[in-house]
Amino acid sequence: MAGTEGGGGRGAGPLLLGVRHHGPGSARAVRAALDAAQPRVVLIEGPPEADALIPLAADEDMRPPVALLAHAVDEPGRSAFWPLAEFSPEWVAIRWALEHEVPARFIDLPATHTLAWEKDDGEGELTGEEQPPDPTDETPTAGTPSSEPPSAPEPSGPDLRVDPLAVLAETAGYDDPERWWEDVVEHRGAGERDAFAPFTALEEAMGALRETYGVGGHERDLVREAYMRLQVRAAQREFEDDVAVVCGAWHVPALRQKAGVAADRALLKGLPKVKTDLTWVPWTHRRLSRASGYGAGIDSPGWYGHLFSAPDRPVERWMTKVAGLFREEDRIVSPAHVIEAVRLAETLAVMRGRPLPGLGETTDAVRAVMCEGSDVPLALVHDRLVVGDVLGEVPPGAPAVPLQRDLDRLQRKLRIKPEALERELELDLRKETDAGRSRLLHRLRLLRIEWGEPVASRGSTGTFRETWRLRWEPELAVRVAEAGVWGTTVLAAATAKAEGDAIGAQSLADVTALAERCLLAELPDALPVVMKVLADRAALDTDVGHLAQALPALVRSLRYGDVRGTDTGALTEVAAGLAERVFVGLPPACAALDADAAEEMRRHVDAVHGAVALLGDASGHGHGDTSAPGQGDGPGPGPGHGDLRGRWRVVLRTLSARDTVPGVIRGRAVRLLLDEGELGPDEAARLMGLVLSPGTPPADAAAWIEGFVGGGGGLLLVHDERLLGLVDEWLTRVPAEAFTDVLPLLRRTFSSYEPGVRRTLGELVRRGPGKQVGTAATAAGIPGFGAELDAGRADAVVPVLRLLLGLDDVVDNGDNELVGVAG
């Protein structure tokens, strides 16, 4: 092999380059060694089934970080990833081989065995890398084994899980393995004469560790290493010793070992298999971090990427990046800050005996100079730069399941690009492109592909507005492969999935929620199936609570259908029939309930009240300002359903008058009737007076008050002096022995009010009866209220209101005061 004479890391046999899987120093060292050795073939740790995918690494559209994804054909959720970043030694080896037109091959245990081998290990995902403390880095996958793997030989040393880097760092006197690795490998000076020296040293160190610890608690490595030895021998027969092997440093002593072919084949005999597919998928720096749970993770992928891309003056360039980030966040950072931070980092490196400033020194310098000692802005540097949100790209020609190709097509058509950085997307459903984006995101959610999460829209409550929080995670590629069993396009797969979910739904509420999602996703072919299941379930379900829980989702679906121009006639019929059954069953269902059940039923009453109001609008009144222009009124509920609101008011009156109904429900029924204008203030005050009379137990009266004034009822008491007076008078009459029982209930009721409302109520009660409020006399017996309108105080507000409404012009009166002039 050319250029290897005298190399300390090069002797007879193949060139073994032991690396850390994600490290810029290792990556540069691999490139230097390959340049020096000029091998005729490069063998790389990875699944051999991916050999056909290696040429794609040279595609101009391939941008790391990326990962090899292997998944079982019959069970796509059983998957494994082999992530590669620009600074991964394996990626550098692949690129070197392609640039020099040298064959590159993967030699690790095939994924067909790896996926089957892990079937009995529970839920999760596999990562095909090795990095201490777990050199296999395999997190178990879902499934049950079809056969058992052969037993691997017992380790020669103690059976404990060893972290080789931690042991070597401790031996060298370091308390941080990351800092030791940076000093020894990542900060090695470029241009050293012996390109093989670092690999020789690592091989000797790992050999000593394996002699002491055996396989360090990772017996499956023996099987993998047996397979790799067989592949190395096969390459030697073809290329003699002009073979370079790039693998985890932990495996190098085992590959150098002179083991018999028969013994290696015996270890591989009888391994289970599953049919697998492999492809390239985008990866992210954040998913390379150890904090993400990745076994071969590193603490600072963004920092390592910077070291690899900026080998000259890395500290100066890093400080410039940090300053740019702070300026984007409107923090004042000058060039002087950058200069001072660089000097401080270099000084700290000298004081700590380090060859170059590392991440620790640069972080301390940034904290002291640019953050003024605060860790708050420093957290932004760690999140955006030290870890980072870089998302790789894969060329369109990479193998993919049909569903993935259709998703890629829709993403390009709708101009909605996957991004690793979380962002919010505002949609206006009146626009064709935004409506298409909404349909796509809702369909993906039906398929359990959680690319986007709907959030509350800011500044709008209309149904034509949607806000999504988007973030693309690499694992979503697995979800796409899993969803491929439902169809080859997003529309077909979402339709089939919705139909399957409807048939397998466990409760009526699940079916109604699914109907709502079908309308949001615009799945007209799935809706008839869902509606049939919904009608059947509604006819058989006799639990009023279930019916009341299901009704609001159905009514919301009508609004969504209206803004999307969807025919919801069948859905309206089911919703109206469901409402009728709730009306009939609710009064008897509210009798003889304990406190918890009464509170739950009160929430059902609120939900049904809102649903009936919307359903009444759908019967011919449209949606006013909340619907999209040009969409027309909602479909009517059909004959016999025109007076749902009237029948609901009858139900509320029944609930308010029955003594067997818990007080919290009776109070809420009175409040809803009052809000609807079906009950006058005088009548409401009379009913409250009856409930708060001395003959009513204090606990029942407190429950009635909670139902009546809870949930935003504070303003009602502020503006209605009679109701506040009744509550105040009742509270003063509660016996001392009963006061401690009703206090928690009252505290819960009034603590839900806004602070301003609570303060106003306190001031009104503190003034007491007979006090003056402004210029009007307070009515006798009513705390804090005047007997009639105070015209003077009311007139003082008029100019301000006119200014706010734009009815007046604003002029300067010469006394530096702005006054309104009537138009």
Side-chain angles (χ1 to χ4, degrees):
M1 188 178 293
T4 61
E5 295 300 329
R10 184 75 186 100
L15 174 62
L16 302 182
L17 305 178
V19 299
R20 186 186 191 185
H21 286 288
H22 305 297
S26 287
R28 284 194 293 267
V30 164
R31 179 180 293 164
L34 293 176
D35 285 338
Q38 293 295 313
R40 294 164 57 195
V41 64
V42 178
L43 307 181
I44 304 166
E45 185 181 330
E49 298 97 331
D51 284 352
L53 302 176
I54 289 178
L56 287 171
D59 194 296
E60 61 180 8
D61 292 328
M62 178 76 86
R63 295 182 178 87
V66 294
L68 287 168
L69 165 63
H71 65 84
V73 173
D74 298 329
E75 197 175 351
R78 191 174 309 287
S79 59
F81 291 100
W82 284 262
L84 297 172
E86 186 181 13
F87 51 83
S88 299
E90 297 87 346
W91 180 260
V92 170
I94 291 173
R95 293 284 300 176
W96 186 93
L98 293 172
E99 291 167 4
H100 291 78
E101 298 182 353
V102 170
R105 301 171 183 171
F106 289 116
I107 61 168
D108 201 354
L109 190 68
T112 184
H113 300 307
T114 304
L115 295 179
W117 206 350
E118 298 297 328
K119 289 181 71 174
D120 59 344
D121 285 350
E123 297 286 340
E125 75 180 29
L126 290 172
T127 54
E129 303 288 349
E130 303 81 32
Q131 177 62 28
D134 182 0
T136 58
D137 289 330
E138 293 175 352
T139 307
T141 59
T144 55
S146 57
S147 60
E148 293 296 326
S151 298
E154 290 297 324
S156 57
D159 183 16
L160 52 89
R161 300 177 73 81
V162 61
D163 180 351
L165 290 189
V167 174
L168 294 176
E170 184 179 2
T171 303
Y174 285 74
D175 58 359
D176 183 0
E178 289 285 330
R179 190 160 63 90
W180 173 81
W181 184 264
E182 277 195 359
D183 287 352
V184 174
V185 179
E186 306 305 340
H187 293 162
R188 273 183 70 243
E192 291 188 7
R193 289 179 296 176
D194 188 356
F196 310 108
F199 301 107
T200 302
L202 278 174
E203 181 177 349
E204 292 175 355
M206 294 300 171
L209 287 174
R210 291 189 71 130
E211 288 179 4
T212 304
Y213 296 101
V215 293
H218 304 285
E219 291 78 9
R220 288 186 178 180
D221 278 356
L222 299 177
V223 179
R224 297 175 59 209
E225 290 161 355
Y227 186 87
M228 286 192 275
R229 279 194 297 268
L230 291 175
Q231 300 307 302
V232 173
R233 291 192 190 100
Q236 284 181 287
R237 288 194 297 271
E238 185 177 355
F239 299 98
E240 297 180 345
D241 282 347
D242 288 343
V243 176
V245 181
V246 180
C247 64
W250 180 256
H251 301 301
V252 171
L255 299 188
R256 187 77 69 186
Q257 172 185 338
K258 300 296 183 182
V261 174
D264 286 343
R265 288 178 175 170
L267 281 175
L268 300 171
K269 187 177 181 181
L271 286 178
K273 294 183 179 182
V274 294
K275 187 178 180 181
T276 60
D277 274 344
L278 278 88
T279 186
W280 289 106
V281 296
W283 205 252
T284 67
H285 274 180
R286 192 169 299 279
R287 293 297 296 160
L288 282 173
S289 68
R290 183 171 292 134
S292 71
Y294 171 40
I298 52 181
D299 292 331
S300 49
W303 166 253
Y304 275 7
H306 169 77
L307 290 180
F308 187 75
S309 61
D312 63 313
R313 307 180 73 84
V315 178
E316 291 85 345
R317 296 178 185 274
W318 179 258
M319 294 302 182
T320 304
K321 278 186 177 181
V322 174
L325 174 63
F326 282 154
R327 287 170 186 152
E328 290 175 0
E329 298 297 324
D330 295 328
R331 290 185 62 87
I332 300 176
V333 179
S334 68
H337 285 93
V338 176
I339 296 171
E340 186 61 29
V342 171
R343 290 175 176 172
L344 179 56
E346 292 173 344
T347 302
L348 289 173
V350 172
M351 294 176 61
R352 296 171 181 176
R354 306 195 67 181
L356 286 173
L359 181 59
E361 286 70 36
T362 57
T363 300
D364 291 342
V366 169
R367 179 190 291 111
V369 177
M370 299 185 190
C371 301
E372 299 178 349
S374 173
D375 284 336
V376 176
L378 198 64
L380 181 67
V381 175
H382 182 271
D383 184 68
R384 297 279 187 86
L385 296 181
V386 176
V387 176
D389 284 297
V390 177
L391 175 65
E393 296 182 18
V394 172
V401 296
L403 181 62
Q404 179 67 62
R405 294 194 180 281
D406 185 59
L407 176 57
D408 294 340
R409 178 187 64 82
L410 292 172
Q411 288 170 340
R412 291 192 298 270
K413 176 183 176 182
L414 298 171
R415 301 189 300 279
I416 178 171
K417 185 179 180 180
E419 295 177 351
L421 186 64
E422 185 177 281
R423 68 185 181 98
E424 284 195 358
L425 179 66
E426 298 279 351
L427 299 179
D428 184 343
L429 302 183
R430 297 168 296 184
K431 299 177 180 178
E432 183 178 351
T433 299
D434 281 359
R437 291 170 175 172
S438 173
R439 287 192 296 269
L440 174 62
L441 293 171
H442 280 295
R443 288 169 183 175
L444 292 178
R445 279 176 59 82
L446 267 171
L447 293 170
R448 308 293 190 269
I449 303 172
E450 304 289 342
W451 178 17
E453 176 187 2
V455 295
S457 295
R458 295 188 297 270
S460 174
T461 58
T463 54
F464 61 88
R465 293 284 185 186
E466 278 188 356
T467 303
W468 290 82
R469 184 177 293 119
L470 302 183
R471 183 169 185 167
W472 185 266
E473 296 286 358
E475 292 81 357
L476 295 179
V478 179
R479 303 291 179 263
V480 174
E482 286 182 298
V485 302
W486 295 102
T488 57
T489 66
V490 174
L491 174 58
T495 299
K497 184 68 164 58
E499 293 174 352
D501 287 350
I503 295 172
Q506 299 296 318
S507 67
L508 179 62
D510 292 339
V511 185
T512 54
L514 183 60
E516 181 179 6
R517 298 177 71 182
C518 286
L519 281 168
L520 290 168
E522 198 169 311
L523 302 176
D525 293 338
L527 199 56
V529 177
V530 176
M531 292 307 304
K532 183 179 184 305
V533 174
L534 176 60
D536 293 344
R537 292 288 182 89
L540 296 175
D541 201 325
T542 58
D543 190 313
V544 174
H546 292 169
L547 299 176
Q549 189 178 4
L551 182 60
L554 281 182
V555 177
R556 286 196 306 269
S557 301
L558 296 177
R559 302 183 74 203
Y560 296 139
D562 178 59
V563 76
R564 288 165 172 79
T566 306
D567 182 10
T568 56
L571 191 63
T572 308
E573 286 293 329
V574 174
L578 205 62
E580 296 284 1
R581 295 183 60 198
V582 172
F583 297 166
V584 173
L586 191 59
C590 289
L593 299 177
D594 60 19
D596 293 337
E599 177 60 26
E600 182 180 0
M601 192 62 72
R602 194 270 305 164
R603 290 193 293 268
H604 289 325
V605 170
D606 283 343
V608 171
H609 182 75
V612 169
L614 293 176
L615 191 58
D617 287 340
S619 66
H621 302 293
H623 301 306
D625 294 337
T626 62
S627 63
Q631 291 294 338
D633 293 336
H641 300 308
D643 193 25
L644 288 174
R645 283 187 173 183
R647 287 193 289 281
W648 173 241
R649 290 163 187 157
V650 173
V651 175
L652 290 178
R653 285 189 175 275
T654 302
L655 293 176
S656 67
R658 285 192 178 179
D659 294 337
T660 56
V661 174
V664 67
I665 299 177
R666 285 187 285 124
R668 177 60 70 181
V670 172
R671 165 71 184 283
L672 294 177
L673 289 170
L674 179 65
D675 291 344
E676 285 285 302
E678 291 298 309
L679 200 65
D682 294 338
E683 179 66 12
R686 186 186 70 81
L687 292 174
M688 178 181 279
L690 291 175
V691 171
L692 301 183
S693 63
T696 304
D700 293 346
W704 195 97
I705 291 175
E706 181 185 22
F708 184 79
V709 300
L715 287 175
L716 187 65
L717 296 179
V718 169
H719 295 290
D720 194 320
E721 66 274 15
R722 288 166 297 182
L723 299 181
L724 179 58
L726 288 171
V727 173
D728 182 59
E729 183 181 359
W730 167 78
L731 191 57
T732 58
R733 293 201 310 261
V734 173
E737 61 274 11
F739 187 78
T740 55
D741 294 332
V742 301
L743 182 59
L745 191 60
L746 294 174
R747 181 180 179 85
R748 182 176 65 188
T749 301
F750 289 95
S751 63
S752 64
Y753 297 161
E754 293 290 335
V757 173
R758 294 200 302 269
R759 183 171 57 253
T760 302
L761 288 174
E763 291 175 354
L764 292 174
V765 173
R766 178 177 57 82
R767 289 169 181 164
K771 302 294 183 182
Q772 294 291 320
V773 181
T775 61
T778 304
I782 306 299
F785 289 94
E788 58 186 19
L789 175 67
D790 187 338
R793 297 184 69 197
D795 289 341
V797 181
V798 173
V800 178
L801 290 177
R802 293 186 63 85
L803 285 173
L804 292 175
L805 296 174
L807 301 178
D808 293 342
D809 295 327
V810 180
V811 298
D812 193 331
N813 65 358
D815 297 325
N816 294 325
E817 295 180 357
L818 297 179
V819 298
V821 179

